[in-house]
Amino acid sequence: MKDKTRILVTGGDMRQIYCAEKLSAVYDTYVMGFPAGSIPEKTNLKQAVTDSNGFYDFVVLPVPPLDENGSISAPFSDTEINPDTIRKLLKPDGVVFVGKYDKKLSDIFPDNKIIDYMKCEDLSLKNAIPTAEGAVEIALNELPVTLNGLEVLIVGMGRIGTSLAEILKGFGSNITVAVHNEKGSAKARMAGIRPVFTDKMDTDYKLVFNTVPEMIFNTDLLKRFSDDTLFIDLASKPGGIDFKSATILGKKVIWALGIPGKTAPVTSGEFIAETIAGIIRERSFS
Amino acid sequence: MKDKTRILVTGGDMRQIYCAEKLSAVYDTYVMGFPAGSIPEKTNLKQAVTDSNGFYDFVVLPVPPLDENGSISAPFSDTEINPDTIRKLLKPDGVVFVGKYDKKLSDIFPDNKIIDYMKCEDLSLKNAIPTAEGAVEIALNELPVTLNGLEVLIVGMGRIGTSLAEILKGFGSNITVAVHNEKGSAKARMAGIRPVFTDKMDTDYKLVFNTVPEMIFNTDLLKRFSDDTLFIDLASKPGGIDFKSATILGKKVIWALGIPGKTAPVTSGEFIAETIAGIIRERSFS
Amino acid sequence: MKDKTRILVTGGDMRQIYCAEKLSAVYDTYVMGFPAGSIPEKTNLKQAVTDSNGFYDFVVLPVPPLDENGSISAPFSDTEINPDTIRKLLKPDGVVFVGKYDKKLSDIFPDNKIIDYMKCEDLSLKNAIPTAEGAVEIALNELPVTLNGLEVLIVGMGRIGTSLAEILKGFGSNITVAVHNEKGSAKARMAGIRPVFTDKMDTDYKLVFNTVPEMIFNTDLLKRFSDDTLFIDLASKPGGIDFKSATILGKKVIWALGIPGKTAPVTSGEFIAETIAGIIRERSFS
Amino acid sequence: MKDKTRILVTGGDMRQIYCAEKLSAVYDTYVMGFPAGSIPEKTNLKQAVTDSNGFYDFVVLPVPPLDENGSISAPFSDTEINPDTIRKLLKPDGVVFVGKYDKKLSDIFPDNKIIDYMKCEDLSLKNAIPTAEGAVEIALNELPVTLNGLEVLIVGMGRIGTSLAEILKGFGSNITVAVHNEKGSAKARMAGIRPVFTDKMDTDYKLVFNTVPEMIFNTDLLKRFSDDTLFIDLASKPGGIDFKSATILGKKVIWALGIPGKTAPVTSGEFIAETIAGIIRERSFS
């Protein structure tokens, strides 16, 4: 028996469609702003009803929710989606899910609860998987050598570092993890990886993944690496690799952000749906 | 150049000696209450000076620190070790490291700081490794089948569950992890393991490791498992398996506590030393 | 519909019973020489008919088939099992499966085909799994340190070496494989393990598994290892570690043979049954 | 002390340069037909001497050795390389290494030994690694879902299948291996993977790697897979997937051949150099 809860999913890229598709297995789910061809053939999704005020219990906005004009960010849509339209369609006590909180949203939806799903711990944990896979994809595409037998440094043993280590063990890379403290060291050992402390790390690596949002790779440190070392920075801005120094020194650096949506939009959209469904369930909204 | 800090290590089992041995690489380390034969041949350890009051900066007591008589727990020692003697040997502002806090200690050392190293997060993390290895050792010893291809259930995806999963993947077991929430589910996926929610788990397993200190395996659930399923309960008391029901039903259950000290006393003692050294360093005692 | 082929399984240890049990899922299977209590409660196994000559299509003898008196090796049986009795029960063109060929068998069964199942490649491959698990069980039982982080040397990258590497990767050991040639080196790399050539190997290991039946560890080489290194020799006689030298030098060596039947009799017996069933099938006996 | 053996490396792509570069660490190595910019800056490589007949002990030709005009296959060279020129530069008893034997070579080098290094077992083994990595790279690039948690089928448990399984375990895929016989089944179990027999396999997979050069995926079988299943065929021609049927049915199939040279030219070239050096060593040519 299907849940009667009505959800409107609007804006965003392919992720948003797969999020809607997954939600539609449980909830009465509507989409707005996607061309017909982008929606799966066999689907429970319905085109949004746009003339019934207070129709939806929830609205799901994308990552990020708004574009530079203050409209709903909707790269696939031919027409602009006005956030005020969305507010009217939402029930007075309806909830807004957004992919990254933006101050303007509080002005647009003054009476509604706004929940940033990107801040949920289980989504961060899950997103570590597509992020690590995307980072390895980049490395495979860029490097003229095999990952097998390669000297690889992972900086940080958090979620993404742990996921990377797991994948690279399968490739048979020679992995070292740079950590800040005994806790990081313990986590590395648990994963069967050799830890070194960040301030004592050597530089004989051909591939470096940075996952720590602290400036670690400054001019001095960068100079000590070989010119053909590939750096992939996965840390959120400002990242851990000095952009200016790396450019001057001619280092090969790839700043890789927002990987999940690019490399695995289906999985990534489904993760968002699972998180939203989890919140709806736990709060006994439904 | 050696640190001049003086540490007295006393009581306990083999772990305590290896802890002392490791500390002696950095600090001026003394032991009390160990027969000569139990100390490694080439060592920096010194027999404790017992007549100089206020001689030591730190004293390291074992897990647990006291026996039923209120003496220092010292199974290897012929003579009783009186905690008052230890207090006198310690500097007035000396620090006492203990393996598990006991109220009596505050009476014995009223003026000294008492630190329970078993409560340090990095030690808990590290101890997950010998605990998981010891649990697998038990399974290998008990089972007449290979772990390869075996249907194994791990309850809980914390430190010990994660370590167990890592090891059992190497054996090629068919692993399922029972988790309580989306976070546990995400951690299982990161490790490449199939998660199920605890309340929906099936019972076709030949080997079950419980790591969660909550009563999960009650009479009803236990009944649904095969009679030749082996349960290994690693959760601290009261554990997660109903003792009485398991006995009545004739289930094969092993309650495995304090594994690190039994199965890997050297590694385990070294972990304690690393934790103590970390605390000394971070507090700038030395 | 059950196969009408009649198989008699006699002699041997627990493995033999589990072999019979597994065969009974497909064939009409009888046992002789096992006390009632050793047979599973719910079973299709039948006690052997001993008075019908030429009744059985196949007879399965254990590993090894005969004891020192020339009787069927049957440690569980109160009475002696005379091989002539077995021959009479077998059809004139019946086939004898044995666990290791013994010349005397050709005299006892002059007209029957005798097949040594221990020589089948798929059984050797499968037995690598319980052998490796048993070897790791020994290491866990003997060592006072964790396998995690331990420097381990595996000599040989054949079946057992490959299985050992797979398991030890899960433990997070620092594994090196000693190989003889480029092929072994390639296989090690495929498994993600660092290879060294046997003649250039260093000796900084705490645990050594030998899988190669050639005298590698002679006096000179043994001397270069630490006194607390544990050697586990898995190679069939004469093995790869010089017994006399090791004894004189006081090295810790464990000669581990026939592991599958000891550590995992159920799995091991089932593997034998699968091999026998495979032979019966492929030869279109049934 | 450097070996005086002179080797001429000519033709081919980047692999050939890295092969030459690696050989130059041991032998006196010359190159012909590569633009200056394609050769590493710090190198021992010398531009080939072209006017001394009988100068070289060995010549290394690429994969494949000849182009459609019968010249040395040399996509990087501005001018044609005439194989007769090469023959004259070679010693009368010099040896020709080629990447794939071509009948015409016997006419060109009637008096010289011709060795096909692609037929060496250790090179085939090693090439399984870049092949498997390249196949996973394709999957990562093509699929909008994560490999983690994905239902993956690997057909065949030879070198490439084994390498693929190793890598995909790291990703946490749900792997099944389709095998032909008990031996393949045993190898799958050793790797900790679930085997199924080819004639009984189900079709609930989102990703299929075929490594067996036999027509397995015919119209009937292909029809049973979902339309969004990605097939990657790694078997040498004619491969294992029916091209015509797959096209008509609109299946997503990628025929991936010669991966090592494309995805990992450095590693791939070094592998060739190791194989050639191994042959030179073993034959005591040097």
Side-chain angles (χ1 to χ4, degrees), chain D:
Chain D
M1 202 185 63
K2 189 123 170 196
D3 193 295
K4 296 290 180 194
T5 304
R6 293 196 197 108
I7 304 186
L8 172 62
V9 180
T10 184
D13 52 20
M14 287 309 287
R15 247 189 302 185
Q16 192 78 337
I17 292 180
Y18 290 107
C19 171
E21 180 73 13
K22 178 102 178 181
L23 287 170
S24 76
V26 181
Y27 306 108
D28 200 19
T29 308
Y30 299 74
V31 290
M32 184 192 290
F34 293 102
S38 66
I39 293 169
E41 279 189 32
K42 290 176 195 164
T43 186
N44 293 317
L45 292 177
K46 302 172 191 170
Q47 284 295 338
V49 175
T50 55
D51 54 358
S52 300
N53 286 355
F55 187 74
Y56 299 103
D57 299 279
F58 299 97
V59 61
V60 179
L61 301 184
V63 197
L66 303 175
D67 63 20
E68 60 275 19
N69 305 321
S71 298
I72 302 296
S73 170
F76 288 5
S77 181
D78 295 335
T79 57
E80 217 173 312
I81 302 175
N82 189 322
D84 288 325
T85 312
I86 303 299
R87 192 197 58 247
K88 285 173 195 156
L89 292 171
L90 190 59
K91 285 187 180 163
D93 63 346
V95 171
V96 183
F97 287 104
V98 300
K100 211 172 214 176
Y101 183 72
D102 183 318
K103 281 178 196 167
K104 291 177 209 150
L105 290 166
S106 300
D107 297 332
I108 303 169
F109 300 97
D111 304 325
N112 304 92
K113 189 167 179 61
I114 300 172
I115 297 175
D116 183 349
Y117 49 77
M118 292 302 272
K119 290 229 169 122
C120 292
E121 195 188 1
D122 65 294
L123 186 56
S124 299
L125 269 171
K126 285 181 187 167
N127 271 341
I129 296 169
T131 300
E133 291 197 9
V136 169
E137 183 179 337
I138 291 170
L140 285 168
N141 285 335
E142 295 292 326
L143 291 172
V145 294
T146 55
L147 295 181
N148 183 280
L150 196 71
E151 300 291 331
V152 181
L153 178 70
I154 299 171
V155 182
M157 197 62 191
R159 295 153 187 153
I160 296 174
T162 302
S163 281
L164 275 170
E166 206 61 35
I167 294 173
L168 291 168
K169 280 194 288 178
F171 276 96
S173 304
N174 287 335
I175 313 164
T176 303
V177 177
V179 296
H180 279 68
N181 51 34
E182 282 291 330
K183 187 181 161 186
S185 174
K187 287 169 81 175
R189 291 197 211 179
M190 273 175 66
I193 308 287
R194 190 174 71 95
V196 293
F197 282 93
T198 314
D199 52 1
K200 288 180 188 162
M201 68 186 179
D202 47 18
T203 58
D204 297 332
Y205 302 100
K206 294 296 180 193
L207 175 60
V208 176
F209 293 100
N210 179 60
T211 72
V212 178
E214 281 172 34
M215 185 52 57
I216 294 169
F217 293 90
N218 53 25
T219 308
D220 282 349
L221 185 55
L222 283 171
K223 273 184 184 164
R224 290 165 46 209
F225 282 84
S226 161
D227 279 356
D228 63 352
T229 301
L230 175 65
F231 293 85
I232 299 179
D233 196 347
L234 301 163
S236 46
K237 283 180 187 170
I241 299 169
D242 184 21
F243 177 77
K244 216 170 150 184
S245 301
T247 309
I248 292 169
L249 293 167
K251 297 295 178 183
K252 294 192 287 180
V253 185
I254 292 175
W255 278 269
L257 290 174
I259 290 182
K262 290 172 196 158
T263 194
V266 174
T267 306
S268 187
E270 290 177 353
F271 284 170
I272 293 172
E274 289 172 15
T275 295
I276 288 173
I279 295 170
I280 294 177
R281 237 183 359 250
E282 281 170 26
R283 305 201 168 208
S284 306
F285 277 128
S286 67

Side-chain angles (χ1 to χ4, degrees), chain B residues 37-104:
Chain B
S38 67
I39 293 170
E41 279 188 32
K42 290 175 195 165
T43 186
N44 294 317
L45 292 177
K46 301 173 192 168
Q47 284 296 338
V49 175
T50 54
D51 54 358
S52 301
N53 285 355
F55 187 75
Y56 299 104
D57 299 281
F58 300 97
V59 61
V60 178
L61 300 185
V63 196
L66 302 176
D67 62 20
E68 61 274 21
N69 305 322
S71 298
I72 301 296
S73 170
F76 287 4
S77 180
D78 295 335
T79 58
E80 217 172 314
I81 303 175
N82 190 322
D84 287 326
T85 312
I86 303 299
R87 191 197 59 245
K88 285 173 195 156
L89 292 171
L90 191 59
K91 286 187 180 163
D93 64 346
V95 171
V96 183
F97 287 103
V98 300
K100 212 171 213 176
Y101 182 73
D102 183 318
K103 282 179 194 167
K104 291 178 209 147

